[in-house]
Amino acid sequence: MTMTKWVYGFGGGSADGDASMKNLLGGKGANLAEMSSLGLPVPPGFTITTEVCTAYYENGQAYPADLESQVEAALGKVEGIVGKAFGDKSNPLLVSVRSGARASMPGMMDTVLNLGLNDETVEGLAGLSGDRRFAFDSYRRFITMYSNVVLGVGHDAFEEVLDETKDRLGVSQDTELAAADWERVVGRYKQVVLDETGAEFPQDPKAQLWGAVSAVFASWMNDRAKFYRRMHDIPESWGTAVNVQSMVFGNMGDTSATGVAFTRNPSTGEAKLYGEFLINAQGEDVVAGIRTPQALTKAGREEMGETKPSMEEAMPEVFAQFRDTVGRLERHYRDMQDIEFTVEQGRLWMLQTRNGKRTAKSALKIAVELASEGLIDREEAIQRVEPQALDQLLHPTLDPKAPRTVIAKGLPASPGAATGKIVFDSDEAERLGQLGEAVILVREETSPEDIHGMHAARGIVTARGGMTSHAAVVARGMGRPCVSGAGGVHIDDKAGQFTASGQTFKAGQIITIDGSTGDVIEGKVAMIEPELTGDFQTLMAWADAARRLKVRANAETPLDASTARGFGAEGIGLCRTEHMFFDDTRIAAVREMILADDEAGRRAALAKIEPFQKADFVELFKIMAGLPVTIRLLDPPLHEFLPHNEEDVKAVAAATGLDADKLMSRAKALHETNPMLGHRGCRLGVAYPEIYEMQVRAIIEAALEVKAETGEAPLPEIMHPLVAKGQEMKFLRELTDRVAEAVFADRGDRLDYMVGTMIELPRAALRADDLAEYAEFFSFGTNDLTQTTFGISRDDSGRFLQAYLDKGIFEHDPFVRLDPEGVGDLIKIAAERGRKVRPNVKLGICGEHGGDPSSIAFCEGAGLDYVSCSPYRVPIARLAAAQAALSARSGTEREKDR
Ligand code: ADP
Ligand code: MG
Ligand code: MG
């Protein structure tokens, strides 16, 4: 019988695991193992695998039988390496208990430090270190963290005791408390625990250890972890690992410190060591923003205009060692590293490394520069930038020339600009965000409980905290602009206001923030369009060279079309003509057409619309010169163009001279129980061919006109929506060709055009061979195809979709990420059957999914010719298409290797 290995040790120059074992050991555990094997100074410890977490939840929160003995053995090894014993009165080993999932979830789960302390071992620690103050400082930290994480006692009660003590002593800094003060604080903390939980603070180190391990596993299912997973698409089934690691102490006086570092600037990507540290402190202090940390490097300090010495200046020798070590780590991992470290009495210890989170700007710069440095190749550089993140760069920024009244300055924690209403509370931010309001979340500092508020906000301001504070890290990850540590912002939560520069700002008032400069600004500031040059252009050029899929845009207005072209769109994949009908200048004629009693009346009204339509197309064809333009003929049911209630009817009647009674009765007559499945799409063209005839004529005439004017023939692709049957397609194809030929004859000129259909019904996909007899292209309208495949209305799905996601029935919202199984199968079937009849049938996708990277990967796999998405997503799609092509290629190479 083979035993499952549940526990992997590391430290003392070797490790059971390595960096490739992230799935089993979690990111933190795998990298601690790797760093140990590299011979870097890592406090020894062990990792309890993610499989234990999974088993724990599968077995009603019970551990595998042999886990305890494996933990005992691993703990024994650690004791051997450090020469201390867990629970020993005179020579106690203390450990940290840290969570660590596969994908890093910073600050999402809880860590307990200094575990193993009790009333006896604290004396041992005092003796060993010769520093009583340090021993009791560590003990009080432990009681706070353990009580909070394991026993569920809030921080407040402890903070009250501490504040009271400091007030009594007349001091403001924790570091000013002496040994006896801390000893007294510890006594009172234990009383707090007894009062709050009804039980003594646990004194048995083994019980403490298992309490903390269970708390880490439990934290995998807490609300903020769930929210984070949902936001980042991390499956629940992955589980977290637990790392138990011998403690090193950054709080042993002025030769001790703790800090965080990035090997390159995570905001700008600049290739300079970047970070913050605190002397005489323990890990959490830096991230929690309790004290404002100092810069790591001299240059960093000068840039921030700080006076307190940098680590480079305060501890030059350890700093030199640190700089070497992190350089080595970056070369080893071939990526920018995010590092946590501690200096204990002049000795460096590495506590964590991982590929650092970064802004889009910095991701681009780092990828391009790593490629030029030869650390990675171009293909890898393409894979290094998350397509979604480009979104951050594609939106307007503050106009540098516009006047701004800066009311406070903080750190440029996450770039980008945002304007919105002041909100002080995360729940309120979420509520207003859901109503579509732009809000700026203003907080003293943020904690993981604020995630939903940060997500809902356009931007974040904190009064406290550094560049690596929770707010800064999370905002960068989310792509929200953030100004942190704006000390000039004085928040009065109770009054619902803050003061800055002597002015009072109330909740609901508008402010603007510039996350690239750290400015907090009164009111609104003019924005300018982004310039996409430099690293962006370089990487996009590499991506374009690597991709197979073409990228088009969904656009109907000239503005959208030019934006799309500027972003590199290779044509229009969907131009919806109904938007053109809603225009104020045309809606009257459209209504007249709907009210007409016979074909002749309809034709008369359509004749009024035709010149407008033609002019629209002329403009689009010019903007998209040389590129294909897919135009979808009228799609929505006609009643959408009519006023619905009496009041509107009266207003329309008055304004247009149309008959109010007739309007009302026509609206009633056209009323449909289920408009999505009603008289719409090509069913309009079949029932009222004159509508589609007008549109085809407008398209062809516009194309001929542009050809005559510019000498270059546009490439119109005329698309019939909602086709289900071959017979429908036959009718529509004949209609289209007949009208086109008539125009050609009339004008004495001709050009190439294509006729195709949007595939948005399961029947159309299944009978694609019938359609391909007449259709030269298929465009998968995956919004509607998803609706009709699932039988779910997108507009109503909000009411129950969350329940499906919560229960794991849906992993993703199928309207955001293409369902690769059901809808995907239909696409594959349609592609295959269509190609059987017409081998060169052109295939594309034009739903919302066309801009979603994972859906784009599906399209690559299905062998489609192009994806089409909203203009602002075009660069995202270009990059995602390149990544999909590269993954597909390396996938095939792997196949061949087998
Ligand atoms: P997170 O995943 O939230 O960063 P960590 O498990 O990394 O949580 O722990 C938080 C902080 O605690 C770390 O930044 C580190 O400074 C400190 N820490 C963790 N383990 C130890 C240890 N064994 N010795 C000293 N400090 C530690
Ligand atoms: Mg950490
Ligand atoms: Mg549709």
Side-chain angles (χ1 to χ4, degrees):
M1 220 184 76
T2 55
M3 230 179 51
T4 311
K5 186 169 169 62
W6 303 111
V7 177
Y8 286 69
F10 59 83
S14 67
D16 298 344
D18 60 51
S20 72
M21 295 164 76
K22 287 207 172 68
N23 293 357
L24 186 63
L25 303 180
K28 200 179 287 170
N31 286 333
L32 284 169
E34 184 87 1
M35 285 198 291
S36 296
S37 301
L38 288 172
L40 300 182
V42 174
F46 56 87
T47 303
I48 303 175
T49 67
T50 56
E51 286 176 357
V52 175
C53 184
T54 314
Y56 178 77
Y57 280 108
E58 273 170 7
N59 298 316
Q61 311 196 8
Y63 292 118
D66 46 352
L67 178 66
E68 195 173 336
S69 60
Q70 292 191 28
V71 165
E72 291 288 331
L75 193 59
K77 266 198 193 159
V78 174
E79 291 175 327
I81 300 174
V82 298
K84 293 178 185 168
F86 193 58
D88 192 283
K89 282 181 211 168
S90 53
N91 186 24
L93 168 71
L94 303 187
V95 297
S96 64
V97 177
R98 323 168 62 185
S99 64
R102 264 197 230 185
S104 83
M105 297 167 65
M108 282 302 105
M109 288 180 294
D110 302 306
T111 298
V112 178
L113 302 180
N114 309 330
L115 188 140
L117 280 174
N118 58 26
D119 295 348
E120 290 175 344
T121 54
V122 71
E123 296 294 345
L125 185 64
L128 263 186
S129 62
D131 186 346
R132 226 179 146 67
R133 181 197 176 281
F134 150 73
F136 279 91
D137 175 39
S138 302
Y139 195 15
R140 65 94 192 182
R141 287 171 189 268
F142 172 53
I143 295 175
T144 315
M145 273 186 265
Y146 191 90
S147 303
N148 186 245
V149 173
V150 184
L151 308 176
V153 182
H155 282 291
D156 294 355
F158 298 114
E159 250 157 51
E160 229 167 80
V161 170
L162 188 54
D163 288 344
E164 224 179 273
T165 307
K166 285 198 274 192
D167 281 350
R168 193 169 44 76
L169 297 170
V171 302
S172 64
Q173 297 288 322
D174 290 3
T175 42
E176 294 172 274
L177 267 66
D181 303 325
W182 285 126
E183 209 171 328
R184 230 166 293 130
V185 167
V186 163
R188 292 187 57 190
Y189 275 14
K190 286 193 294 186
Q191 188 59 45
V192 167
V193 174
L194 183 58
D195 291 346
E196 299 265 328
T197 67
E200 297 283 349
F201 184 78
Q203 292 285 316
D204 173 15
K206 285 273 156 66
Q208 293 174 354
L209 179 62
W210 286 102
V213 169
S214 298
V216 171
F217 285 140
S219 73
W220 180 249
M221 291 295 184
N222 72 25
D223 287 344
R224 54 192 218 233
K226 280 186 187 165
F227 186 87
Y228 190 93
R229 283 201 290 273
R230 205 180 298 146
M231 224 169 66
H232 294 269
D233 274 335
I234 298 171
E236 200 162 277
S237 60
W238 281 5
T240 181
V242 181
N243 299 291
V244 176
Q245 186 176 26
S246 52
M247 284 299 301
V248 290
F249 299 99
N251 56 335
M252 287 187 87
D254 288 347
T255 54
S256 302
T258 182
V260 293
F262 293 89
T263 54
R264 298 180 188 227
N265 187 314
S267 254
T268 64
E270 210 188 347
K272 271 190 191 159
L273 179 63
Y274 179 85
E276 296 169 331
F277 84 120
L278 274 174
I279 291 179
N280 197 11
Q282 243 183 359
E284 298 293 79
D285 300 357
V286 178
V287 191
I290 291 170
R291 278 155 60 192
T292 299
Q294 292 153 247
L296 273 192
T297 61
K298 183 159 175 279
R301 175 181 68 73
E302 284 163 357
E303 227 162 81
M304 289 165 68
E306 282 286 336
T307 48
K308 282 203 223 153
S310 63
M311 183 182 175
E312 187 172 9
E313 293 154 303
M315 356 181 118
E317 267 166 52
V318 202
F319 177 77
Q321 185 196 350
F322 179 68
R323 173 167 266 172
D324 283 353
T325 307
V326 301
R328 196 168 151 203
L329 280 174
E330 184 179 278
R331 286 191 300 280
H332 182 73
Y333 285 100
R334 300 182 308 122
D335 199 1
M336 185 261 268
Q337 295 297 293
D338 168 357
I339 287 157
E340 295 174 6
F341 67 96
T342 279
V343 177
E344 180 184 300
Q345 299 194 313
R347 192 158 165 205
L348 175 69
W349 292 97
M350 303 300 288
L351 292 173
Q352 190 173 325
T353 192
R354 62 179 174 221
N355 295 339
K357 293 205 183 300
R358 61 203 79 180
T359 62
K361 184 175 170 199
S362 139
L364 284 170
K365 191 174 190 64
I366 291 172
V368 169
E369 288 186 359
L370 286 178
S372 352
E373 288 164 29
L375 236 50
I376 59 176
D377 61 25
R378 282 183 182 185
E379 294 192 351
E380 205 168 344
I382 293 168
Q383 303 276 25
R384 287 285 176 89
V385 179
E386 202 208 326
Q388 300 276 17
L390 294 181
D391 202 32
Q392 291 171 34
L393 302 174
L394 305 176
H395 292 283
T397 51
L398 294 186
D399 182 351
K401 288 196 228 76
R404 45 171 93 180
T405 314
V406 177
I407 52 171
K409 251 189 140 9
L411 300 170
S414 178
T419 296
K421 291 184 176 169
I422 298 166
V423 172
F424 295 103
D425 176 79
S426 284
D427 291 339
E428 180 69 0
E430 185 175 48
R431 193 184 68 78
L432 291 172
Q434 277 163 357
L435 295 175
E437 297 248 20
V439 300
I440 306 285
L441 183 64
V442 181
R443 307 272 304 161
E444 200 60 39
E445 62 200 354
T446 64
S447 77
E449 272 92 41
D450 290 311
I451 294 279
H452 61 297
M454 298 175 73
H455 191 58
R458 299 286 168 89
I460 298 130
V461 177
T462 66
R464 276 194 284 172
M467 289 292 285
T468 50
S469 65
H470 177 267
V473 172
V474 173
R476 282 198 293 270
M478 284 182 185
R480 294 289 180 284
C482 174
V483 174
S484 69
V489 171
H490 303 282
I491 301 173
D492 182 346
D493 258 328
K494 287 205 190 87
Q497 63 185 42
F498 71 78
T499 55
S501 299
Q503 271 172 279
T504 301
F505 295 86
K506 294 215 168 295
Q509 239 172 293
I510 302 279
I511 53 169
T512 296
I513 63 168
D514 186 341
S516 313
T517 61
D519 286 355
V520 182
I521 303 157
E522 184 185 341
K524 230 174 133 160
V525 180
M527 306 253 185
I528 48 166
E529 288 302 316
E531 224 183 294
L532 301 172
T533 49
D535 300 320
F536 180 90
Q537 238 172 20
T538 308
L539 195 89
M540 290 314 273
W542 295 351
D544 288 344
R547 76 187 150 92
R548 183 192 63 80
L549 280 168
K550 295 261 182 214
V551 176
R552 299 194 194 180
N554 299 346
E556 38 265 343
T557 66
L559 177 67
D560 281 353
S562 347
T563 306
R565 195 135 199 201
F567 283 148
E570 297 162 299
I572 289 181
L574 175 63
C575 163
R576 305 173 179 89
T577 49
E578 55 271 18
H579 289 252
M580 301 166 167
F581 280 45
F582 277 111
D583 193 287
D584 280 347
T585 52
R586 313 162 193 189
I587 185 82
V590 173
R591 287 171 174 154
E592 205 183 307
M593 183 238 338
I594 297 171
L595 293 192
D597 295 315
D598 51 20
E599 191 186 318
R602 276 193 297 276
R603 283 192 189 277
L606 284 165
K608 294 186 192 166
I609 306 168
E610 192 169 323
F612 291 112
Q613 279 265 280
K614 195 166 115 185
D616 292 331
F617 299 138
V618 165
E619 224 174 329
L620 279 185
F621 287 145
K622 281 187 183 164
I623 294 168
M624 285 290 154
L627 299 173
V629 177
T630 306
I631 297 164
R632 178 178 74 181
L633 303 188
L634 193 66
D635 182 55
L638 295 180
H639 57 77
E640 284 194 12
F641 297 99
L642 293 183
H644 287 277
N645 56 45
E646 230 160 294
E647 219 173 294
D648 292 349
V649 166
K650 274 191 199 136
V652 167
T656 58
L658 294 169
D659 182 72
D661 289 340
K662 201 166 177 189
L663 267 171
M664 202 63 209
S665 75
R666 188 54 57 96
K668 278 203 188 111
L670 288 176
H671 172 82
E672 290 177 329
T673 319
N674 196 339
M676 198 194 113
L677 304 178
H679 193 179
R680 64 177 309 167
C682 69
R683 295 160 200 172
L684 292 170
V686 170
Y688 309 117
E690 56 276 13
I691 299 178
Y692 278 17
E693 284 168 16
M694 179 279 282
Q695 292 196 288
V696 172
R697 204 159 40 239
I699 293 167
I700 300 293
E701 288 196 350
L704 285 177
E705 230 173 81
V706 172
K707 181 185 168 194
E709 196 186 318
T710 65
E712 186 174 17
L715 304 169
E717 299 180 350
I718 299 170
M719 178 154 79
H720 295 277
L722 213 70
V723 171
K725 286 198 69 172
Q727 284 303 314
E728 263 174 326
M729 196 64 231
K730 177 168 188 282
F731 174 85
L732 296 163
R733 173 71 192 261
E734 285 167 2
L735 177 155
T736 312
D737 288 344
R738 188 174 61 243
V739 174
E741 285 303 331
V743 176
F744 294 154
D746 192 36
R747 298 283 151 131
D749 192 11
R750 55 189 309 124
L751 46 68
D752 290 334
Y753 62 94
M754 288 174 92
V755 184
T757 178
M758 194 149 171
I759 298 225
E760 45 195 335
L761 295 171
R763 193 187 194 283
L766 295 172
R767 303 298 298 196
D769 38 356
D770 298 346
L771 305 191
E773 298 266 357
Y774 309 99
E776 300 171 278
F777 67 88
F778 296 161
S779 173
F780 294 97
T782 49
N783 293 347
D784 278 349
L785 188 58
T786 302
Q787 297 201 88
T788 56
T789 300
F790 279 102
I792 291 177
S793 151
R794 184 160 69 145
D795 300 327
D796 299 320
S797 65
R799 299 189 193 154
F800 53 85
L801 204 61
Q802 198 53 52
Y804 275 70
L805 293 166
D806 289 343
K807 295 190 166 61
I809 297 172
F810 278 154
E811 282 241 23
H812 307 280
D813 179 343
F815 294 106
V816 173
R817 179 180 288 201
L818 188 83
D819 158 41
E821 291 159 355
V823 179
D825 270 356
L826 285 171
I827 293 176
K828 285 186 199 153
I829 288 169
E832 187 197 305
R833 295 189 183 167
R835 282 186 177 130
K836 220 181 271 165
V837 171
R838 190 186 291 270
N840 63 347
V841 61
K842 206 191 246 188
L843 303 174
I845 169 181
C846 66
E848 216 79 355
H849 303 99
D852 168 61
S854 106
S855 310
I856 292 170
F858 172 87
C859 296
E860 170 68 31
L864 302 194
D865 297 302
Y866 69 88
V867 298
S868 186
C869 56
S870 75
Y872 276 98
R873 297 199 72 84
V874 165
I876 297 172
R878 283 161 68 196
L879 181 55
Q883 293 183 351
L886 291 174
S887 305
R889 220 175 288 157
S890 64
T892 4
E893 271 156 30
R894 269 200 304 279
E895 282 296 305
K896 272 189 257 155
D897 285 347
R898 270 203 233 149

